[in-house]
Amino acid sequence: VAAVVLALGLLAVPTVASADEVECASEKGRRHECDMNTRGEVRLVRQLSRAPCVEGQSWGLSKHSVWVSDGCRAVFAS
């Protein structure tokens, strides 16, 4: 019984997939798009700018890119 419980427990361990990361920067406050397979969602991994990076305001996503504006510079992952 213990072996079956252990085997089922091992099957439940999630696998970690490596994410594609892209650094994208707004130069002089202008909007900039960076090519990226967004797969319908993107998360901000690390903000690199002093200017705030706020989703929907200074960064967002399109089907094949992530965009930044207003001085936002960050690393994004899909």
Side-chain angles (χ1 to χ4, degrees):
V1 174
V4 171
V5 171
L6 179 61
L8 290 175
L10 291 176
L11 292 175
V13 174
T15 58
V16 177
S18 63
D20 295 325
E21 291 188 352
V22 171
E23 182 178 325
C24 198
S26 166
E27 298 290 328
K28 298 182 182 176
R30 295 186 178 155
R31 182 179 167 124
H32 181 74
E33 291 196 25
C34 299
D35 290 338
M36 179 178 200
N37 182 358
T38 64
R39 298 182 191 118
E41 76 177 49
V42 168
R43 63 185 170 86
L44 190 149
V45 176
R46 186 172 56 258
Q47 182 173 320
L48 304 172
S49 61
R50 287 187 178 191
C53 295
V54 179
E55 185 174 10
Q57 294 179 13
S58 55
W59 76 271
L61 64 138
S62 302
K63 188 173 183 180
H64 299 290
S65 65
V66 62
W67 60 265
V68 292
S69 64
D70 303 322
C72 173
R73 182 172 152 240
V75 176
F76 299 92
S78 59

